[in-house]
Amino acid sequence: KQEVTQIPAALSVPEGENLVLNCSFTDSAIYNLQWFRQDPGKGLTSLLLIQSSQREQTSGRLNASLDKSSGRSTLYIAASQPGDSATYLCAETGTGTASKLTFGTGTRLQVTL
Amino acid sequence: DAGVIQSPRHEVTEMGQEVTLRCKPISGHDYLFWYRQTMMRGLELLIYFNNNVPIDDSGMPEDRFSAKMPNASFSTLKIQPSEPRDSAVYFCASSLSYRGYPDEKLFFGSGTQLSVL
């Protein structure tokens, strides 16, 4: 069974700080990796998707990287804002299981004023 | 588009009762997924459909759980009889197909918070 781990479980940073969220996965045949954002009481919103052939993806202040050899992905948030406060989840899809995402348990981020 | 719509938003029921959760996917999406989220286990895929046909239900925990998709715009997840350990947030998500696989970007509904007393 594939496992996805996110550390830390919670993180608090002051506004304006750059930060990195970590995601580790055990699947050696990863198809892609996604980062999602979840606000309290809401569903998940897809932020970035990295195919296995890619090393990184960028969207605005967000940058996600993928290192298959080490089984790691990072989500970099530049110049954090209070509106970035949410839970961030990563999810991997294995080759041959294109429809099955295995989610991490998330990192709860709080950006303080 | 209004996005993926789930109902009800909250459901409180007593053990042994039947519970039906509903989902309307985004129009035109041909993949539909049911997930369950708990503090202990995180997000788990229960079942998914392609063109209204169940493709993989290996995540359905027990025979007490069943899901249907009678048409492209509606799906239900039923629990009968319900138990306290079924308490969780149940999410529905949909996506487009691409090259035979889901266009990996999933669109999630806001979820149904189920409490079984």
Side-chain angles (χ1 to χ4, degrees):
Chain A
K1 180 181 176 183
Q2 306 302 338
E3 292 186 1
V4 179
T5 305
Q6 292 186 249
I7 296 173
L11 180 65
S12 181
V13 300
E15 181 180 14
E17 191 165 298
N18 303 325
L19 62 102
V20 175
L21 305 181
N22 297 296
C23 172
S24 299
F25 51 90
T26 60
D27 191 351
S28 61
I30 188 171
Y31 181 70
N32 64 44
L33 187 133
Q34 292 189 70
W35 282 91
F36 292 85
R37 168 183 174 142
Q38 184 174 26
D39 292 286
K42 299 288 182 61
L44 281 70
T45 300
S46 181
L47 298 173
L48 290 165
L49 183 150
I50 311 174
Q51 300 289 355
S52 61
S53 58
Q54 300 173 322
R55 292 190 63 86
E56 64 179 288
Q57 282 286 329
T58 298
S59 176
R61 294 182 295 108
L62 305 179
N63 177 276
S65 68
L66 176 64
D67 185 343
K68 289 190 301 180
S69 61
S70 65
R72 294 180 182 179
S73 176
T74 62
L75 179 66
Y76 174 83
I77 303 177
S80 58
Q81 303 171 358
D84 295 330
S85 299
T87 296
Y88 292 82
L89 298 97
C90 65
E92 68 96 7
T93 303
T95 302
T97 60
S99 302
K100 288 189 172 184
L101 275 68
T102 301
F103 281 86
T105 52
T107 294
R108 189 172 65 255
L109 172 66
Q110 182 172 9
V111 181
T112 59
L113 293 171
Chain B
D1 198 315
V4 177
I5 300 173
Q6 291 187 247
S7 63
R9 287 298 310 275
H10 303 275
E11 177 79 34
V12 180
T13 190
E14 294 186 346
M15 182 174 64
Q17 296 297 306
E18 177 179 296
V19 175
T20 299
L21 311 181
R22 297 172 177 80
C23 175
K24 175 179 169 54
I26 292 174
S27 177
H29 282 191
D30 50 4
Y31 278 83
L32 183 139
F33 305 81
W34 282 100
Y35 283 89
R36 178 172 68 177
Q37 186 176 39
T38 62
M39 288 293 293
M40 290 297 294
R41 302 171 69 95
L43 268 162
E44 302 172 286
L45 177 64
L46 300 177
I47 184 172
Y48 76 93
F49 296 82
N50 176 218
N51 291 322
N52 312 340
V53 177
I55 303 301
D56 187 339
D57 65 355
S58 60
M60 297 285 263
E62 301 172 30
D63 291 345
R64 298 184 297 106
F65 286 69
S66 63
K68 294 182 179 179
M69 193 165 185
N71 57 62
S73 59
F74 183 65
S75 177
T76 60
L77 178 67
K78 184 176 294 186
I79 308 173
Q80 166 64 20
S82 58
E83 296 182 3
R85 58 192 169 122
D86 301 331
S87 298
V89 181
Y90 291 80
F91 287 104
C92 175
S94 69
S95 69
L96 286 167
S97 62
Y98 177 70
R99 296 180 182 174
Y101 289 98
D103 178 7
E104 302 90 342
K105 188 171 184 178
L106 290 187
F107 293 82
F108 279 78
S110 298
T112 295
Q113 174 75 60
L114 174 64
S115 298
V116 183
L117 306 177

